[in-house]
Amino acid sequence: MSSERRKPYPFDQIEPRWQTLWDEREIFHGPNPGEKSFDAAKPKFYVLDMFPYPSGAGLHVGHPEGYTATDIIARYKRMRGFNVLHPMGWDAFGLPAEQYAIKTGQHPELTTRANVAKFKSQLKRIGFSYDWQREINTTDPRYFKWTQWIFLQIYNSWFNLKTNKAEPIATYRGKNPDEVRLAYVADVAVNWCQELGTVLANEEVVDGKSEVGGFPVVRRPMRQWMLRITAYAERLINELEGLDWPEGIKSLQRNWIGRSEGAEVDFKIDKSEPDGHQIRVFTTRPDTLYGATYMVLAPEHSLVDLIVTEEQWPSVREYREKTARKSDLERTELAKDKTGVFTGAFAVNPVNEERIPVWIADYVLLGYGTGAIMAVPAHDERDLEFARKFNLPVRQVVQPPGDEEPIGFVGDGIAINSPIINGLPSREAIRKITAWLEERDLGKGAINYKLRDWLFSRQRYWGEPFPVVWQSEPDGQHRKHRALDENELPVVPPPLEDYKPTGTGEPPLAKAKDWIRHSKNATRELNVMPQWAGSCWYYLRFCDPENDQRFVGEKAEKYWMGGSKPGGIDLYVGGTEHAVLHLLYARFWQKVLFDLGHISKPEPFQRLVNQGIILGEDGQKMSKSRGNIVNPDDVIDQYGADAFRCYEMFMGPLEQMKPWSMRGVEGVSRFLARVWRLIMTENQSGQWELSPAVQDVDLTKAQQKILHATIKKVTGDIESLSFNTAISQMMIFVNAFIPQRGTETIPISAMRTFLVLLNPFAPHLSSELWENLKSPGQITAQNWPGYDEKFLIEDEVEIVVQVNGKVRDRVRMSIQAGEEEIKKAALALPKIQELTTGKRILKVVVVPKKLVNVVVE
RNA sequence: GCCGAUGUGGCGAAAUGGCAGACGCAACGGACUUAAAAUCCGUUGGGCUUAAUAGGCCCGUGUGGGUUCGAGUCCCGCCAUCGGCACCA
């Protein structure tokens, strides 16, 4: 495709002109309450994109897919009389800039600045109507000051189970507040990635490898900052209810939080000593307690040290070492092959006083439940496999319904061999035995979650430093964390010569010797926050980005995050890759801030839509190695931004995965060129001028109909985000208005209305043509057109006539024709006569204005 | 294994339970042109019948059943693809 080919219409002149004009006049600024141009009579609409990480590679065609959708909505809502908040910013802390710094010594701030400039100019080239006055950058001290401030709120609060919400730590009556803070320090087995030199959150580890880079990750105990997200597990599940999210994303979140109901049961260790250790297990099936024939502790379980017998120590020690050496990857790869060793200890089953052996095995995870299980091999696949391997007894305690194989049956049935609950169906048996345990103080009903607390510190440079110092205790031995005062914010990262991780687990900030010292007896926390921190609340900052008194002004927050629904943002569009992490973390922070009374909504995102990923022309995922990446700049050079936008929307349903096609872009570009030539014509000297066919004439009845049908369809389709069919309808409109032999004129009023409809999709072209038609004011200031049903109704309709469900003929009838009349007319048709004579007519179904179905034997 | 999504022409796709394939791409034919590009017009799911691209008939939305006058659409079973989770007790 030669680039010197003539442009189908002069988009290369039109587009930059309008972009400059929008910029200079700040046409898309959405004023806050209190600003001069604010109109309180208008309703608000907050439409948000997931803000990007400004990478060095620039935009790819996936970014603008969601951005175009939200831009159409934003432009449409403005014309519908809403105050629209449509902002953009940069999630700019993170690994690539830091790794670039390690390689080149260039400060990440410089890299970030260059990348932001590139992204911004690319976005502007597409003509998005962002309110650039609200641009934010998570790495800007004026921004992360408030990220740190929010951390202080989390640090300075605790979760009150009685009220089921976070409260200021001052209201905590216990002895040691540090035990209950929502941000706390713990020695935990973390995901350590040697290659990246940092720990990672569970969520950032995929198949035992780092999500970023794919480097191996191992378990290692380290002292880390944690956020008590588990306190919100219940609410994070329950409050999904009121949100307009795709069901799939909701269930992903529910799944991740992983609620299960059951009981905790205590088993006493059978040792002669009276000090009596206990093993507490979690089970979802307390009704199978009589079937417990052995127990298993996670190898790392702290009780193991206390109960192992002399003679079993060597094998236990060996097994533990072997397990510890395994990475998560190996542990899952070997998942199917059960291993374990006997501890030599026995426990007593509380329901029948039976002595059962205690084993350790790595199929029991320290991180889930209590890190210990009662094994019921008859009714649990894993236990059964283990029992068979080590010849442990198997006892059936549930009778399956029907004639299913009882051993290995894991469903609900009837309790047997279980004196207390014999004969009861499983659900009832669970209730009864749980009550029985509770009465005797042997256990209690319990709810357990897969969700772990959020590992919140990273051993990196390019992130928000913690607003925390470590202070020597009077005894001179211990050091204790203390939050900085609000007025000491922001804590800005120190400049470094060398950004490399130390490799020891000590963060790179340790190299800034001067910076570390906070005061005479206090040194700074050296970890930084994970990249998620900045994106947990950016949507709030957009409401009031300049505020230097508060993270967001109260009035602005109430206004933009307002409304009658639980979530404040009216529409949030982004990729599914954030289905769990970002969306869960942001909801968590929102709830903490809500509980503490800082904001007005319990949920951030009322309506969520995921755009599907765009594949390469070959139907494969776009990647450098496949060489199938499409660069938006190239597309815009060749076809213009409007064609780019329209093609992205015309490809198919927004939420669907779909392959790119340059031919498709060309097709859409042809459509836009037809719009151009409908109104403009080229004169002898090759100049574009207004077409003489465009005249102030009345519309024909047919034109009237198609115009109103188009208004109706496009309006409905924008509301339901069905942009592909909206564009189809506009194509139909244009095809119908192209001058045919006979109709030589193009009614100017229809063109003006159409340009308004087209404006959200192709803002440059429609603005230019609007101006060329000498229309009043700016197109962006127009009201969205309404349609009149009366133009859509025809006097006559074609009615399909079926015999036994097959279309055999059709008949034109007046719209007013009644059922009887239609029936009569249909049966009178010669063709129908022919097909029905000699047959008995069983039934005639009449759907007015649509069809008749004659049912014969 | 569990959860979720998706299966419609050569391709992207469209269709409140009521004419399957709108719109676009590609392909083919034609107009304009010395020619090409661009543009415009027409044809285009498969098959049978027919002199006929008139007319007529049959089949067709992954697959097998069901509900219904009528199913791409609703219900049940199965298959395939994609995404997520996965020794979660």
Side-chain angles (χ1 to χ4, degrees):
Chain A
M1 240 154 284
S2 72
S3 53
E4 59 274 17
R5 199 179 61 195
R6 238 178 112 269
K7 306 261 186 293
Y9 71 98
F11 60 80
D12 52 333
Q13 286 154 47
I14 296 171
E15 292 178 354
R17 188 165 95 78
W18 287 99
Q19 286 159 14
T20 307
L21 186 141
W22 296 332
D23 243 9
E24 283 171 359
R25 302 202 193 160
E26 296 183 338
I27 277 188
F28 302 118
H29 174 56
N32 265 8
E35 269 180 66
K36 244 191 268 144
S37 52
F38 179 76
D39 180 353
K42 290 180 169 182
K44 71 94 185 181
F45 198 87
Y46 188 172
V47 48
L48 181 66
D49 294 300
M50 290 184 185
F51 68 161
Y53 174 79
S55 70
L59 283 182
H60 53 80
V61 292
H63 284 118
E65 189 191 10
Y67 299 166
T68 304
T70 54
D71 196 60
I72 290 168
I73 295 292
R75 288 175 178 270
Y76 166 74
K77 288 285 179 183
R78 287 191 199 102
M79 292 200 267
R80 280 243 106 136
F82 286 78
N83 285 328
V84 171
L85 179 53
H86 186 43
M88 181 43 78
W90 319 105
D91 187 17
F93 275 127
L95 277 178
E98 178 167 331
Q99 280 173 330
Y100 190 72
I102 290 168
K103 254 192 277 170
T104 63
Q106 166 150 229
H107 194 283
E109 207 179 299
L110 298 176
T111 318
T112 302
R113 201 177 302 151
N115 291 351
V116 162
K118 175 160 188 186
F119 262 67
K120 191 171 173 179
S121 77
Q122 283 186 302
L123 290 179
K124 287 203 170 184
R125 253 195 108 189
I126 307 173
F128 293 135
S129 63
Y130 292 120
D131 179 355
W132 286 108
Q133 287 182 37
R134 294 177 186 268
E135 179 180 358
I136 57 179
N137 182 325
T138 55
T139 65
D140 182 340
R142 288 168 301 173
Y143 180 87
F144 71 68
K145 169 184 177 175
W146 298 108
T147 311
Q148 292 168 334
W149 179 87
I150 293 171
F151 176 84
L152 292 182
Q153 308 312 303
I154 298 170
Y155 176 89
N156 286 317
S157 58
W158 67 297
F159 196 84
N160 186 342
L161 286 170
K162 297 225 174 63
T163 55
N164 197 27
K165 57 181 223 169
E167 293 178 11
I169 196 74
T171 67
Y172 179 65
R173 295 284 159 249
K175 273 198 293 284
N176 185 2
D178 287 349
E179 284 174 0
V180 297
R181 291 179 189 277
L182 288 183
Y184 63 97
V185 173
D187 281 303
V188 285
V190 297
N191 305 298
W192 168 256
C193 179
Q194 182 65 41
E195 209 73 29
L196 296 175
T198 185
V199 300
L200 299 169
N202 288 332
E203 291 84 341
E204 293 169 316
V205 181
V206 179
D207 288 336
K209 292 186 184 156
S210 61
E211 190 180 24
V212 179
F215 304 117
V217 173
V218 292
R219 288 257 159 206
R220 162 172 166 181
M222 278 176 79
R223 191 182 222 205
Q224 296 294 325
W225 282 96
M226 308 288 291
L227 299 191
R228 210 176 295 279
I229 190 171
T230 51
Y232 282 87
E234 191 80 44
R235 278 171 60 189
L236 286 169
I237 287 185
N238 293 343
E239 291 167 29
L240 281 172
E241 197 70 28
L243 303 181
D244 308 317
W245 288 21
E247 204 38 56
I249 302 295
K250 284 192 186 181
S251 72
L252 267 170
Q253 291 224 345
R254 279 192 209 102
N255 213 288
W256 189 264
I257 297 167
R259 179 184 195 273
S260 33
E261 246 174 271
E264 285 182 357
V265 186
D266 291 330
F267 286 63
K268 284 202 171 52
I269 290 297
D270 179 35
K271 259 192 172 177
S272 31
E273 298 108 84
D275 63 333
H277 296 298
Q278 285 192 343
I279 302 177
R280 174 165 294 181
V281 302
F282 173 76
T283 175
T284 54
R285 293 299 296 273
D287 61 313
T288 62
L289 212 38
Y290 285 93
T293 52
Y294 65 101
M295 300 190 79
V296 185
L297 298 179
E300 310 89 338
H301 200 290
S302 57
L303 256 182
V304 176
D305 295 313
L306 305 173
I307 63 168
V308 175
T309 57
E310 209 69 47
E311 59 270 26
Q312 288 304 106
W313 254 120
S315 47
V316 165
R317 190 175 300 122
E318 194 200 339
Y319 184 75
R320 281 179 127 183
E321 278 167 11
K322 219 166 66 194
T323 319
R325 274 201 308 273
K326 281 190 204 168
S327 67
D328 270 20
L329 180 60
E330 290 169 298
R331 239 168 121 155
T332 36
E333 262 178 2
L334 303 170
K336 294 303 149 216
D337 201 19
K338 296 277 179 296
T339 57
V341 292
F342 180 41
T343 62
F346 287 84
V348 179
N349 189 335
V351 290
N352 58 6
E353 304 291 319
E354 191 179 353
R355 282 179 89 240
I356 56 176
V358 181
W359 287 63
I360 63 172
D362 66 2
Y363 84 90
V364 172
L365 310 172
L366 189 65
Y368 184 76
T370 61
I373 61 156
M374 63 173 204
V376 184
H379 305 296
D380 183 282
E381 274 177 54
R382 298 147 298 174
D383 295 347
L384 183 60
E385 198 190 325
F386 191 83
R388 288 199 165 138
K389 178 154 179 191
F390 293 102
N391 283 316
L392 292 157
V394 177
R395 185 189 307 138
Q396 184 198 352
V397 291
V398 177
Q399 185 59 44
D403 52 1
E404 266 182 84
E405 169 62 34
I407 300 303
F409 174 74
V410 297
D412 286 3
I414 304 291
I416 58 168
N417 301 327
S418 308
I420 303 172
I421 49 172
N422 269 336
L424 292 180
S426 299
R427 293 297 115 190
E428 255 173 74
I430 288 171
R431 238 171 285 136
K432 181 157 181 199
I433 201 153
T434 305
W436 187 92
L437 290 165
E438 277 171 2
E439 273 164 39
R440 285 161 187 75
D441 218 16
L442 297 168
K444 59 176 198 296
I447 292 162
N448 199 33
Y449 298 95
K450 275 202 280 190
L451 185 68
R452 308 285 82 210
D453 275 340
W454 178 11
L455 180 90
F456 195 66
S457 40
R458 298 289 184 278
Q459 293 72 51
R460 303 228 61 95
Y461 174 77
W462 192 227
E464 301 88 346
F466 282 79
V468 168
V469 293
W470 291 82
Q471 197 159 320
S472 306
E473 292 281 270
D475 66 7
Q477 300 283 308
H478 297 87
R479 287 154 60 74
K480 200 177 168 313
H481 51 79
R482 171 172 76 76
L484 291 179
D485 195 79
E486 236 182 274
N487 60 32
E488 293 179 80
L489 304 182
V491 180
V492 180
L496 286 185
E497 294 278 302
D498 170 20
Y499 301 93
K500 255 198 275 325
T502 59
T504 60
E506 194 181 36
L509 292 186
K511 297 175 187 169
K513 299 292 179 211
D514 295 337
W515 181 84
I516 293 174
R517 186 178 312 281
H518 169 262
S519 52
K520 215 174 106 221
N521 57 358
T523 61
R524 292 186 189 277
E525 168 66 50
L526 301 178
N527 285 297
V528 299
M529 300 184 198
Q531 196 184 349
W532 309 109
S535 59
C536 271
W537 72 284
Y538 75 110
Y539 54 89
L540 292 169
R541 189 64 179 172
F542 276 138
C543 298
D544 197 13
E546 300 291 324
N547 199 321
D548 57 5
Q549 301 300 307
R550 205 170 180 276
F551 70 113
V552 54
E554 285 176 85
K555 249 203 209 151
E557 190 276 336
K558 242 199 188 82
Y559 181 72
W560 291 115
M561 296 292 287
S564 56
K565 301 277 184 61
I569 292 165
D570 300 280
L571 178 63
Y572 192 32
V573 178
T576 7
E577 67 272 21
H578 296 118
V580 179
L581 311 182
H582 159 61
L583 290 173
L584 196 65
Y585 295 152
R587 292 179 64 217
F588 165 48
W589 278 34
Q590 175 87 9
K591 286 181 193 304
V592 176
L593 291 169
F594 173 72
D595 286 355
L596 297 175
H598 296 306
I599 52 177
S600 56
K601 284 290 163 96
E603 285 284 342
F605 316 115
Q606 182 57 38
R607 181 164 183 215
L608 173 73
V609 172
N610 295 118
Q611 84 269 21
I613 61 170
I614 296 180
L615 305 171
E617 299 239 15
D618 53 2
Q620 302 286 317
K621 226 172 147 175
M622 282 192 196
S623 74
K624 246 192 224 154
S625 57
R626 285 205 184 85
N628 59 355
I629 291 181
V630 179
N631 180 345
D633 286 330
D634 298 343
V635 181
I636 294 171
D637 285 343
Q638 221 175 104
Y639 299 100
D642 284 332
F644 178 70
R645 294 169 59 111
C646 288
Y647 175 66
E648 290 242 358
M649 295 299 98
F650 187 64
M651 289 172 81
L654 182 63
E655 306 194 38
Q656 197 165 295
M657 182 193 297
K658 43 211 179 280
W660 187 268
S661 154
M662 275 303 176
R663 302 284 202 174
V665 184
E666 218 167 294
V668 171
S669 151
R670 273 203 279 269
F671 156 66
L672 294 177
R674 273 205 296 279
V675 173
W676 175 259
R677 289 195 314 267
L678 206 50
I679 292 168
M680 305 301 288
T681 186
E682 213 167 6
N683 66 17
Q684 237 91 96
S685 49
Q687 305 285 308
W688 288 105
E689 56 184 32
L690 196 62
S691 162
V694 178
Q695 284 170 33
D696 192 1
V697 291
D698 287 337
L699 279 69
T700 65
K701 220 173 152 192
Q703 287 175 328
Q704 200 70 270
K705 184 185 173 191
I706 195 146
L707 174 64
H708 283 259
T710 302
I711 297 169
K712 182 177 181 178
K713 178 86 176 135
V714 171
T715 306
D717 282 352
I718 291 178
E719 292 282 353
S720 64
L721 310 186
S722 310
F723 305 116
N724 53 331
T725 48
I727 293 171
S728 295
Q729 181 63 36
M730 291 191 279
M731 288 172 169
I732 291 170
F733 175 92
V734 170
N735 291 345
F737 274 77
I738 280 177
Q740 308 284 319
R741 290 165 299 270
T743 54
E744 305 290 298
T745 60
I746 295 167
I748 192 165
S749 66
M751 288 304 110
R752 288 206 176 110
T753 306
F754 172 74
L755 289 175
V756 175
L757 298 179
L758 181 64
N759 181 257
F761 298 82
H764 311 89
L765 173 67
S766 55
S767 296
E768 183 81 10
L769 290 174
W770 179 266
E771 192 179 81
N772 290 353
L773 288 177
K774 315 237 168 359
S775 316
Q778 286 293 320
I779 191 168
T780 47
Q782 301 307 306
N783 289 325
W784 191 256
Y787 62 90
D788 194 331
E789 251 347 300
K790 84 173 181 227
F791 293 115
L792 301 179
I793 295 167
E794 287 192 277
D795 307 336
E796 273 199 336
V797 282
E798 190 176 72
I799 288 174
V800 169
V801 184
Q802 303 179 328
V803 175
N804 284 350
K806 292 205 167 100
V807 182
R808 296 299 170 171
D809 206 353
R810 29 203 105 210
V811 59
R812 290 198 68 86
M813 303 254 354
S814 152
I815 192 109
Q816 266 108 25
E819 276 195 34
E820 271 309 310
E821 197 181 333
I822 295 170
K823 182 174 164 181
K824 225 184 268 168
L827 290 171
L829 291 167
K831 245 190 109 189
I832 302 305
Q833 286 275 310
E834 196 182 309
L835 283 159
T836 53
T837 42
K839 296 196 175 137
R840 205 145 51 88
I841 292 175
L842 302 175
K843 195 173 179 183
V844 180
V845 182
V846 180
V847 182
K849 296 183 227 174
K850 278 241 165 73
L851 99 175
V852 177
N853 189 11
V854 183
V855 185
V856 297
E857 49 177 3

